[in-house]
Amino acid sequence: MLWAQVEAMRRGEEYVEREHLLLGLLHGEGTGAIRLLEGIGYAPEELRLRVAGLLVIEPGKPRAESSTLAPGARQIVEQARRETEATGHDFVGTEHLLLALLHDAPSSVVESGLTYDAVAQALSSGMADALAEEALPPSPKIPARPGFLRGRHFLSVLDLSGDEVEALFELVREIKLGQVAKVGVGKTAALLFDKPSLRTRVSFQVAMTRLGGASLFLSREEVGLGQREPVKDVARVLSRMVEAVVIRTFSHDAVVEFANFSDVPVINALDDYEHPCQALADFYTIREHRVQTQGQKLVFLGDGNNVAVSLMLLAPTMGTHFTLACPPGYEPPVAVVKHARELATRYGTQLEITNDPILAADDADILYADVWTSMGQEEESKKRLEDFAGFAINEKTLREAKEDALILHCLPAHRGEEITDDAMESSQSAVFDQAENRLHVQQALLAAVL
Ligand code: CP
């Protein structure tokens, strides 16, 4: 039902209609409906894309703030209850909702050849149960439990293996369902920030509160990391007073030095080299919107900056093809690109770096933008405005991308520069889901390392 609501809201619809219910059913893995569809030879993702393609999104229509069940959709839910009784089950599952939808199927479904009888027969033959074990996602290789990364630093996306990212994402899912215990009681995280922040600061502080712990914000003026006091001294003092340190500063070397002298977990909340928490939240958001990250083409338009580096290094592990389009001279460091290429080869993904934003955007599943001038580069902003012209999510690049390409931006955004106002507000935009997921992902990360 939640996915149905998301599908309606993305399209700017005030009401959840039966088509949105169907699209909602086709999200996820291992649900009763998905198992039934797979059992009778349908690829749910293919069906979802086909139905989504029939529901035209009005260009520029803003995303709806909320969507409620339309009267027709309420009837479907009632029918699902009847299907449940008829099959003798004691719960209303996605398989019953699928049957209810097929009971009076919309043309988009009829065209696909999917019939009520085929699904009803499969359900009564016990296929859903029989397929359950093999269809369920494999058990996580690493248990997704709080504390599974206890004591570990997170300075780079490369600090987590693919299995650990999967376990973390499972923990995020459980957090979003309210299933994770308050493992932060009696614990404090220090937030050592040398640069401004809205999302990162608030999300870490709220995450600690939600885990039952406390957070302490320490600004540049108060601490003077490496100026008033050496990095290694600050690290050792804080280690004796708090249970975790979240650090946002300029130099990656300073973050590494801090971690080397810290006895408690250190989390990189952005430095000049990487923004690893952002990348985790971005891939979690992609998975929520696209079910899987595998095979997606993610195109980053703009500077080969810290955000681009974290995405580029994490993309191969997530099975995502990555393209960076930046003006000449703004590529990430050569060593990073070399490492990313090795990872791409190992995981069988593509990595492309180009100076042509239009070529880059071709057939993109996801377009991603970040500000052209990052924190600390303000003196270059005039030159950057000129150099980056065209490296933006705008009408031209959107025209090249897939029709339903997801729009991402790590925020804050400069509308009219790296992204148009229309793109930010369009139904394809997931930028605020991205921002919200910073909270859930970082709560999971804190729960994992504490
Ligand atoms: N995206 C991001 O890191 O936002 P803040 O700079 O506001 O924390």
Side-chain angles (χ1 to χ4, degrees):
M1 294 302 285
L2 189 65
W3 272 117
Q5 204 177 12
V6 168
E7 291 287 356
M9 286 162 65
R10 280 188 65 209
R11 290 169 170 77
E13 304 296 348
E14 205 178 325
Y15 289 105
V16 176
E17 302 285 357
R18 58 170 55 222
E19 286 81 2
H20 305 127
L21 284 175
L22 176 58
L23 282 175
L25 269 188
L26 298 174
H27 279 277
E29 288 174 32
T31 65
I34 298 272
R35 293 198 300 267
L36 277 175
L37 286 168
E38 286 172 343
I40 58 174
Y42 280 86
E45 178 60 6
E46 203 177 290
L47 195 58
R48 187 175 75 81
L49 291 174
R50 196 169 340 148
V51 176
L54 294 170
L55 300 180
V56 181
I57 300 181
E58 213 177 289
K61 190 170 181 182
R63 186 188 167 100
E65 293 293 320
S66 66
S67 303
T68 52
L69 271 182
R74 276 184 212 285
Q75 286 169 11
I76 303 279
V77 176
E78 286 307 316
Q79 180 63 28
R81 290 207 177 94
R82 287 193 283 276
E83 298 292 349
T84 306
E85 284 166 15
T87 47
H89 291 152
D90 56 2
F91 63 93
V92 181
T94 51
E95 54 271 50
H96 309 112
L97 201 50
L98 178 63
L99 272 176
L101 275 160
L102 292 169
H103 196 261
D104 184 17
S107 58
S108 47
V109 179
V110 173
E111 276 171 33
S112 70
L114 186 61
T115 64
Y116 177 91
D117 289 345
V119 175
Q121 201 180 352
L123 186 60
S124 65
S125 72
M127 183 183 280
D129 297 335
L131 291 169
E133 281 195 18
E134 66 182 91
L136 280 173
S139 305
K141 295 197 178 87
I142 295 169
R145 279 197 290 268
F148 83 94
L149 299 172
R150 183 160 294 128
R152 291 256 301 268
H153 300 312
F154 180 62
L155 311 185
S156 160
V157 290
L158 299 176
D159 289 340
L160 295 183
S161 67
D163 288 340
E164 286 168 341
V165 173
E166 288 306 329
L168 188 77
F169 282 4
E170 175 58 21
L171 202 54
V172 178
R173 202 180 66 80
E174 288 171 15
I175 279 174
K176 289 185 93 163
L177 292 170
Q179 294 173 345
V180 172
K182 290 188 181 297
V183 295
V185 174
K187 297 180 177 172
T188 303
L191 272 66
L192 194 55
F193 275 42
D194 277 348
K195 297 184 181 194
S197 171
L198 171 65
R199 279 144 293 273
T200 312
R201 173 184 176 170
V202 175
S203 52
F204 269 112
Q205 292 202 266
V206 173
M208 272 310 283
T209 306
R210 289 191 179 181
L211 289 172
S215 59
L216 190 62
F217 184 78
L218 300 165
S219 71
R220 182 180 177 82
E221 290 70 35
E222 284 157 317
V223 179
L225 188 68
Q227 291 169 341
R228 181 172 178 266
E229 202 164 351
V231 170
K232 60 185 180 183
D233 290 1
V234 179
R236 283 175 290 186
V237 170
L238 281 180
S239 292
R240 291 175 182 226
M241 297 178 183
V242 300
E243 281 68 36
V245 177
V246 177
I247 182 166
R248 168 172 284 202
T249 189
F250 295 85
S251 151
H252 185 68
D253 288 346
V255 174
V256 172
E257 184 187 353
F258 194 103
N260 284 342
F261 282 90
S262 171
D263 293 329
V264 298
V266 175
I267 297 175
N268 181 355
L270 178 147
D271 59 34
D272 289 348
Y273 173 61
E274 268 210 57
H275 197 353
C277 296
Q278 180 70 56
L280 285 178
D282 295 341
F283 278 102
Y284 190 84
T285 307
I286 292 170
R287 184 165 291 179
E288 276 189 332
H289 279 262
R290 289 293 147 90
V291 183
Q292 59 178 11
T293 50
Q294 276 78 9
Q296 298 279 310
K297 179 181 174 184
L298 166 59
V299 177
F300 186 96
L301 297 162
D303 194 8
N305 63 9
N306 44 12
V307 175
V309 165
S310 288
L311 291 170
M312 180 187 285
L313 292 173
L314 188 54
T317 324
M318 305 307 300
T320 304
H321 308 301
F322 184 82
T323 300
L324 166 69
C326 63
Y330 290 97
E331 293 85 2
V334 174
V336 172
V337 176
K338 184 170 175 283
H339 195 133
R341 283 204 194 287
E342 286 165 4
L343 289 171
T345 305
R346 190 189 311 165
Y347 289 95
T349 58
Q350 289 154 21
L351 170 64
E352 195 187 352
I353 298 181
T354 170
N355 302 130
D356 184 337
I358 301 296
L359 203 65
D362 179 44
D363 212 29
D365 295 288
I366 304 140
L367 287 181
Y368 194 122
D370 186 10
V371 289
W372 292 337
T373 304
S374 295
M375 287 177 273
Q377 299 170 331
E378 288 74 12
E379 282 177 10
E380 299 171 24
S381 81
K382 191 166 172 296
K383 176 171 164 35
R384 282 174 171 264
L385 267 180
E386 290 163 13
D387 291 351
F388 280 91
F391 290 83
I393 303 182
N394 56 25
E395 257 182 48
K396 285 183 187 166
T397 46
L398 277 168
R399 204 178 300 135
E400 301 301 318
K402 287 204 174 123
E403 206 175 0
D404 67 343
L406 198 64
I407 294 172
L408 297 182
H409 192 305
C410 53
L411 302 178
H414 291 177
R415 293 162 193 246
E417 291 182 16
E418 78 280 356
I419 188 164
T420 59
D421 186 57
D422 283 352
M424 278 283 290
E425 300 298 337
S426 98
S427 51
Q428 289 164 246
S429 167
V431 298
F432 297 106
D433 296 336
Q434 228 183 318
E436 181 190 326
N437 279 332
R438 295 290 306 279
L439 169 60
H440 307 302
V441 167
Q442 288 158 199
Q443 187 176 336
L445 190 58
L446 285 167
V449 299
L450 278 173

